[in-house]
Amino acid sequence: MARMSGAPAGSRCVDQRSYTVAESLAELRGPTNGLVTLDQLLDWSGDSTYDLDYQGNRQVMYQTVLNQAAANADLRRWLDGATLLLWPSL
């Protein structure tokens, strides 16, 4: 059977995945409260609306964006740098 991927045998998904990182927290000026609905490319769960006024929703939304963002534009649109500085309390 032929392999469909160029990934080395035994490699893990995490080893093949690319991540995007913001140049600085100052460029992240996303929403900090209210209802937001993430793009389907970021959250395909079927329940992609988050109420950022609730800490648990904010945490899940931020984790989703950090895990799924493919470009810095995603980070800038959805994340707030000052909120990320508070991450231990999220």
Side-chain angles (χ1 to χ4, degrees), residues 39-54:
D39 300 332
Q40 190 174 15
L41 291 173
L42 291 174
D43 187 340
W44 55 91
S45 69
D47 186 16
S48 58
T49 299
Y50 299 88
D51 186 345
L52 300 184
D53 293 328
Y54 293 96

Side-chain angles (χ1 to χ4, degrees), residues 36 44 75 85:
V36 299
W44 55 91
L75 300 177
L85 287 174

Side-chain angles (χ1 to χ4, degrees), residues 20-22 27-30 65-66 69 71-80:
T20 185
V21 178
E27 73 179 276
L28 304 179
R29 297 185 184 177
V65 172
L66 289 168
N72 282 354
D74 295 327
L75 300 177
R76 286 191 301 272
R77 179 176 181 192
W78 297 111
L79 303 180
D80 177 69

